[in-house]
Amino acid sequence: MASLNVYSVLVVLFLTSRVVMATKENHQIIKENNCETKMGLPCVLEAFLSIFETRSISNKCCDDLVVLGKDCHSALVKKTLENSLFNDLSAATIIPKSIQTWNNCLALIDSPSPSA
């Protein structure tokens, strides 16, 4: 029985350390890439609302999001989810929405524009 308790404690410590490492990794990515300064506030709000409230994002803001880069995009979404203001949101719901927004913007930017 004691070995089960020791095992349980080790599992909890391992999982906790992984969360702390992920948090540090997100902050490091954001800092090293100046992620918080690469997009203007209007496009940040559009991207945020497209992920967290399922609203649309304009072509211009999609372009800005793709220029921001996938690493910055992912790290900023994860950092937002770490904020206590968003405790009621599920990462299991938000992360797929952020990936969908990224993929939609990437497809929009990569697709050839119709000729006039």
Side-chain angles (χ1 to χ4, degrees):
M1 188 67 153
S3 64
L4 181 60
N5 288 337
V6 170
Y7 179 73
S8 298
V9 169
L10 289 175
V11 168
V12 168
L13 287 174
F14 174 75
L15 293 175
T16 304
S17 68
R18 299 277 297 174
V19 169
V20 170
M21 287 173 55
T23 299
K24 283 184 178 180
E25 184 178 300
N26 290 332
H27 290 284
Q28 185 175 355
I29 289 168
I30 292 166
K31 183 178 179 183
E32 288 176 357
N33 294 292
N34 296 316
C35 298
E36 294 177 317
T37 61
K38 287 185 174 180
M39 276 179 82
L41 184 58
C43 285
V44 168
L45 290 174
E46 268 192 44
F48 179 90
L49 292 173
S50 75
I51 296 165
F52 290 87
E53 293 189 10
T54 319
R55 294 198 190 168
S56 63
I57 182 170
S58 68
N59 292 359
K60 182 212 178 300
C61 292
C62 265
D63 186 51
D64 287 0
L65 183 64
V66 172
V67 170
L68 174 71
K70 188 172 187 173
D71 289 341
C72 280
H73 170 69
S74 296
L76 289 167
V77 169
K78 290 173 185 172
K79 180 182 175 188
T80 301
L81 287 170
E82 293 167 7
N83 188 315
S84 62
L85 293 173
F86 302 101
N87 282 343
D88 60 327
L89 297 176
S90 165
T93 303
I94 298 301
I95 299 296
K97 285 183 176 180
S98 76
I99 293 169
Q100 180 182 8
T101 296
W102 172 263
N103 288 339
N104 290 346
C105 284
L106 194 60
L108 180 72
I109 301 307
D110 285 345
S111 66
S113 59
S115 54

